[in-house]
Amino acid sequence: MESPEFSAGMRNQGPNGGPPKRKRSIMESSPASIGDNDRDERDDGSPETKGGRRLPGVKRACNECRQQKLRCDVVQEPFSSCSRCNRLHLECKIESNFKRVGKRSKHAEMEKEIEKLRRAVQSAKAQGFVVDEDDDNNTPGNATHSQLHSPVVNSHYSHTRNPSLMGSDEAVSSLLHLKRGGSYAMPRIVRELEDFRITEDDEGVLFNDYFHYYHPFLPFLNPHQTPDQYYQQYPLLYWAIVAVASRRYGHDRSFLTKLSSPLTRLLWTTIGEVPQSYFAVKALCLLCTWPLPTSTSSSDPTHILGGVLMKTATGLGLHRPNHMNDFSRVPIELNKEGLHDRIKTWAVANIVAQAVGTGYGQPATTLYDWTLATRQGDTSPASLGPELEARLQIERFCDKVSKEMYSNASDPRGVAGDEHRAMLMRVYRREYNELAASVLSKGVSPVVNLHLKAACLHLRLAGFFDSNNTPNYLEDIMGLWRATTSFLDFILDGDPSCHDHYSYQYRDQYMLKYASNYIQQMLVAAGFSLLKLLRSFFAKSIDFDRGRELFHRTIQAIRTTSVIQNDLYWRLAELMVQIWNGAGRENPNAYRPDGTDPVVDDSLQLKVRCRHSMSLVFDSIWHWREEYQARGRGTLDALKQPTNPDSANESSASSTHLDSTLAPPSHGIPNLGLAAAASNGSITPGGGSSTMGGNQQLMGMNGFDTLDVWDPQHWMLDGLLDFNYTFVPPIEGA
């Protein structure tokens, strides 16, 4: 019979009588288990705990030694770093909630991050970035490869504004140098909209460009606010400012192209969610004043956005700024600055809506109420300042002209009768003279003066509706000629008597390069007016050579205002040249002065009469369709080489090359070429691409077969060529 001592001794022995084996638990094999932490304490010589509480005076290892499972000689009271941390220059500290990090999981995360970085490097190389190679390495890319293997590569760089945007892509960007003109740039992303990103440098330059070049056309935003503040107020407002400023952004010509599609989706998403902030009204004001360039009129929603702009403003109660609570579910208390900002926004909304209505030949959705009543010498929050006050007066005048001249309820087309229109013309001529005297007495900028002359042209274009039997017919046509030449002379040459403070607006074609959509439309109308007058009996009553030279300069000016080469305005200039050359080819001396009195006929009257003062533009293009395009005498196949005015009088009637004096200015606008692109950048909901196949069909004359006659503007050009926003090089030989 075995004794208890013998049995216990046998149980403590291993196989074959050897020493007993140590049993390992499952938790012991896990490097990140809680058991490891307890065992670390025992390995460090720390006494056991009793009842879950550590005994007084217990010795505990520092975080670094516990992580490596090493003995630690740290002294807690008074605290003294351990010898290992001192030797390795590590931070020696003791934290009660410290947990060891398993090496296996850490290595797995590092491997995933390295693989992600490698893919990002390949993607960056494909986009044109150049890796800064180390010449001391035999294998290309070893330097970058070794840096990518560092687990702390991302910790060297941080996002300048929003740390959440900093990721592996920027870590790769920090290792890459973008070579442009011999300089190196390291982009720092501050904002992103879908896949579009903007760097800190680009943001600063774009906001500076906006307030320097575009702000004078519509001075209602605060130039002292930072880009961050605008983004916090309303993201759509921030991106609208960026889009406007990128129209002439010299650093990256494709900036507007890349931003167009994401901004389009953001715009319509914002509208679909029913904006609840008046900052959305500010954003719409910008996008209606400088719309994103579009290829066809069917994809131009500016007139629609003008209606949305006014309905949003009235829905938020901007027209009743002193009674905002009547339009809100929560109480609103406005200080003086907030009240003034809302009144200014309401005034600008009406200015923009009126400009949209006038430029597109449609009724304006304006509301000139008590809030916008003119109060001389008013210093209350309702005061708008001389610039906006003058602009508001000018647009109210345009509104009266449109409503009285083109809103006759007794006429199917809404046009006032000849006698009534002649009487209105005399009344509004006097009113315009009074308006001009009032505006110019305030010492306003040339931009306001330009809009004043545009209002005069808007009034005088009604002369094309008159019958040749109307009393004082030639006098009214002469007034139209003076208004046209005055507008063109001012936008081309400026006013030398202007104050030096505004001299920058006369340099480097400022008014053409940064012109609003409304100014571009009035410039086109002035060009067609000049064309129609010079190719009629009236040419014998004026200086034909001066008119011819002015027409040439107008063609150049319209091409200068184009944001994208071969866009809508560029093509309209091409049509003007073809009509000019076609009329000159038929009878080149028919319209030159010969000392005889002109025979007045009805050649100046319009067939298209439903588009207010813009009826001239649509009537002229209808004439081109019927007399030139339909008969094969004119096409738009000369878009790569613009047609030379008066080329019909030269040796080659089909010349498409400009001489040195008439060549369009080269102002660095992107050339979209003639290739079909992948995506349409027009600001329409889900704007897709609609391209034709083959150069013959692309440039042919069958594009008018499916036109909608009632498109907002330039519907007669739809289908000829569908431009997209993706920048592609021109097809060779196209």
Side-chain angles (χ1 to χ4, degrees):
M1 182 175 179
E2 298 177 355
S3 64
E5 292 83 356
F6 177 79
S7 299
M10 292 298 293
R11 287 194 298 269
N12 292 333
Q13 292 180 359
N16 302 323
K21 286 190 175 181
R22 180 185 177 188
K23 293 183 179 180
R24 301 185 63 185
S25 64
I26 299 177
M27 297 293 291
E28 186 178 344
S29 62
S30 176
S33 64
I34 299 177
D36 281 347
N37 294 332
D38 295 337
R39 188 165 54 255
D40 293 342
E41 296 169 3
R42 293 193 294 272
D43 292 342
D44 295 337
S46 301
E48 299 290 341
T49 59
K50 293 184 179 180
R53 294 188 303 172
R54 189 175 297 276
L55 295 177
V58 170
K59 183 179 180 182
R60 187 169 184 175
C62 69
N63 295 351
E64 295 293 337
C65 293
R66 292 181 66 189
Q67 174 65 30
Q68 301 298 331
K69 290 182 160 186
L70 298 174
R71 290 185 179 275
C72 182
D73 56 0
V74 64
V75 178
Q76 298 187 32
E77 294 181 2
F79 185 84
S80 176
S81 301
C82 68
S83 59
R84 179 175 177 270
C85 290
N86 289 334
R87 186 177 72 255
L88 300 178
H89 303 288
L90 301 175
E91 182 182 5
C92 187
K93 60 182 179 179
I94 299 176
E95 296 176 339
S96 59
N97 59 347
F98 175 76
K99 301 289 184 182
R100 290 184 66 252
V101 178
K103 294 183 179 179
R104 295 179 183 176
S105 59
K106 185 176 182 179
H107 289 169
E109 292 177 1
M110 291 172 58
E111 290 176 358
K112 292 181 181 178
E113 185 69 16
I114 290 172
E115 184 61 29
K116 185 177 181 180
L117 291 173
R118 288 173 177 170
R119 291 195 301 266
V121 168
Q122 296 300 325
S123 176
K125 288 181 178 179
Q127 295 176 8
F129 288 85
V130 179
V131 178
D132 190 10
E133 307 289 359
D134 189 352
D135 295 336
D136 297 334
N137 291 279
N138 296 327
T139 305
N142 280 346
T144 304
H145 187 270
S146 62
Q147 292 181 30
L148 292 181
H149 277 72
S150 173
V152 294
V153 65
N154 281 336
S155 64
H156 290 173
Y157 305 92
S158 60
H159 198 280
T160 57
R161 301 282 179 82
N162 191 348
S164 64
L165 296 180
M166 181 66 187
S168 61
D169 291 342
E170 288 191 41
V172 174
S173 298
S174 66
L175 304 177
L176 301 175
H177 293 298
L178 180 60
K179 296 183 179 179
R180 288 179 177 174
S183 61
Y184 293 84
M186 185 180 298
R188 295 181 179 178
I189 308 300
V190 291
R191 302 288 177 204
E192 60 181 4
L193 181 62
E194 296 182 6
D195 58 347
F196 177 82
R197 294 183 175 185
I198 182 173
T199 64
E200 184 180 23
D201 293 339
D202 287 334
E203 181 189 67
V205 174
L206 287 170
F207 270 77
N208 181 71
D209 286 352
Y210 171 81
F211 286 106
H212 185 71
Y213 299 113
Y214 298 93
H215 182 70
F217 282 89
L218 206 63
F220 76 113
L221 296 181
N222 185 1
H224 303 293
Q225 282 189 190
T226 64
D228 274 342
Q229 290 175 313
Y230 278 109
Y231 189 85
Q232 294 300 326
Q233 287 176 347
Y234 211 70
L236 181 61
L237 176 58
Y238 171 90
W239 291 112
I241 296 174
V242 172
V244 172
S246 62
R247 292 164 65 91
R248 302 288 180 183
Y249 189 40
H251 181 66
D252 186 354
R253 294 296 181 183
S254 63
F255 213 83
L256 183 60
T257 301
K258 299 174 184 177
L259 177 60
S260 179
S261 294
L263 180 57
T264 297
R265 289 186 284 271
L266 176 63
L267 169 65
W268 291 105
T269 300
T270 302
I271 294 176
E273 294 175 352
V274 185
Q276 300 297 324
S277 172
Y278 81 102
F279 293 108
V281 177
K282 294 185 176 184
L284 290 173
C285 287
L286 294 181
L287 293 176
C288 288
T289 305
W290 292 280
L292 295 176
T294 180
S295 59
T296 62
S297 62
S298 58
S299 60
D300 181 8
T302 306
H303 182 251
I304 298 174
L305 292 178
V308 175
L309 162 67
M310 290 302 295
K311 293 304 179 183
T312 302
T314 54
L316 296 175
L318 292 184
H319 61 304
R320 300 291 181 264
N322 293 312
H323 304 279
M324 298 292 294
N325 289 327
D326 294 357
F327 303 88
S328 175
R329 295 187 300 175
V330 296
I332 300 178
E333 296 183 3
L334 298 177
N335 55 21
K336 185 177 181 180
E337 290 76 14
L339 180 62
H340 179 261
D341 192 43
R342 282 166 170 77
I343 294 176
K344 182 186 293 186
T345 303
W346 172 242
V348 171
N350 279 271
I351 291 172
V352 172
Q354 182 63 53
V356 170
T358 303
Y360 285 85
Q362 299 280 9
T365 56
T366 51
L367 179 60
Y368 302 105
D369 56 357
W370 180 89
T371 304
L372 301 180
T374 303
R375 304 175 184 85
Q376 298 295 335
D378 190 3
T379 58
S380 67
S383 176
L384 301 175
E387 293 283 312
L388 285 180
E389 193 68 54
R391 284 290 308 277
L392 189 61
Q393 289 181 263
I394 294 171
E395 299 308 326
R396 294 187 71 163
F397 173 79
C398 293
D399 179 65
K400 286 194 291 186
V401 171
S402 296
K403 288 181 177 178
E404 295 296 333
M405 293 281 195
Y406 310 110
S407 298
N408 183 12
S410 60
D411 185 79
R413 290 178 290 190
V415 181
D418 289 347
E419 295 182 0
H420 183 55
R421 188 170 54 255
M423 183 268 295
L424 290 175
M425 182 65 71
R426 291 193 297 270
V427 172
Y428 286 132
R429 278 199 326 236
R430 291 194 298 269
E431 185 171 340
Y432 174 80
N433 293 333
E434 296 173 359
L435 172 65
S438 174
V439 169
L440 296 178
S441 65
K442 300 177 181 178
V444 294
S445 66
V447 170
V448 176
N449 199 355
L450 177 63
H451 285 84
L452 181 64
K453 294 185 178 297
C456 181
L457 179 60
H458 171 59
L459 169 65
R460 286 294 189 173
L461 284 173
F464 285 119
F465 289 82
D466 292 342
S467 169
N468 58 324
N469 298 322
T470 303
N472 302 320
Y473 177 67
L474 285 179
E475 180 182 348
D476 289 340
I477 298 300
M478 182 61 71
L480 171 60
W481 164 261
R482 294 194 185 102
T484 301
T485 55
S486 176
F487 175 81
L488 292 174
D489 287 338
F490 189 86
I491 196 173
L492 295 174
D493 300 324
D495 184 7
S497 62
C498 177
H499 193 277
D500 292 340
H501 178 69
Y502 300 112
S503 60
Y504 71 95
Q505 297 184 6
Y506 295 133
R507 294 194 298 264
D508 196 26
Q509 298 180 313
Y510 169 83
M511 291 189 181
L512 297 177
K513 289 183 178 180
Y514 308 102
S516 63
N517 190 46
Y518 170 67
I519 294 299
Q520 287 180 287
Q521 291 166 328
M522 296 307 296
L523 181 60
V524 169
F528 276 115
S529 175
L530 203 62
L531 170 62
K532 197 171 185 66
L533 293 175
L534 291 174
R535 293 308 189 187
S536 70
F537 66 88
F538 185 73
K540 294 185 177 182
S541 304
I542 56 178
D543 186 349
F544 182 86
D545 291 333
R546 178 178 182 271
R548 174 183 175 276
E549 179 185 0
L550 190 58
F551 178 77
H552 285 202
R553 298 181 65 195
T554 302
I555 296 301
Q556 292 183 1
I558 295 174
R559 288 168 175 164
T560 301
T561 62
S562 297
V563 179
I564 303 294
Q565 188 172 340
N566 294 335
D567 66 358
L568 203 54
Y569 292 107
W570 188 284
R571 295 156 66 193
L572 284 172
E574 179 69 20
L575 293 186
M576 290 185 196
V577 173
Q578 292 186 12
I579 296 175
W580 174 274
N581 289 345
R585 188 182 303 118
E586 293 170 356
N587 193 348
N589 299 317
Y591 309 113
R592 291 183 177 273
D594 55 4
T596 61
D597 294 334
V599 179
V600 179
D601 53 32
D602 59 355
S603 59
L604 291 178
Q605 295 187 43
L606 305 177
K607 296 180 180 179
V608 177
R609 302 168 68 90
C610 296
R611 303 305 293 268
H612 297 191
S613 59
M614 291 293 112
S615 296
L616 166 67
V617 176
F618 297 96
D619 184 87
S620 298
I621 304 178
W622 263 115
H623 172 72
W624 176 83
R625 282 191 62 191
E626 295 175 349
E627 298 297 327
Y628 298 93
Q629 188 263 352
R631 300 181 183 181
R633 298 166 56 193
T635 64
L636 294 182
D637 57 359
L639 292 177
K640 285 186 64 177
Q641 294 292 336
T643 306
N644 175 14
D646 290 332
S647 62
N649 300 329
E650 300 170 358
S651 58
S652 175
S654 60
S655 172
T656 61
H657 297 279
L658 293 175
D659 56 42
S660 59
T661 61
L662 298 176
S666 176
H667 46 274
I669 57 178
N671 187 345
L672 290 169
L674 305 178
S679 61
N680 194 341
S682 57
I683 57 173
T684 52
S689 176
S690 175
T691 57
M692 301 180 184
N695 288 342
Q696 182 175 0
Q697 186 176 2
L698 187 67
M699 290 297 186
M701 297 177 292
N702 296 327
F704 292 118
D705 296 341
T706 59
L707 294 181
D708 183 0
V709 176
W710 306 112
D711 268 0
Q713 187 184 27
H714 306 322
W715 36 264
M716 52 286 286
L717 296 179
D718 287 355
L720 281 181
L721 190 60
D722 190 14
F723 300 106
N724 294 282
Y725 285 96
T726 303
F727 181 80
V728 291
I731 297 177
E732 294 296 333

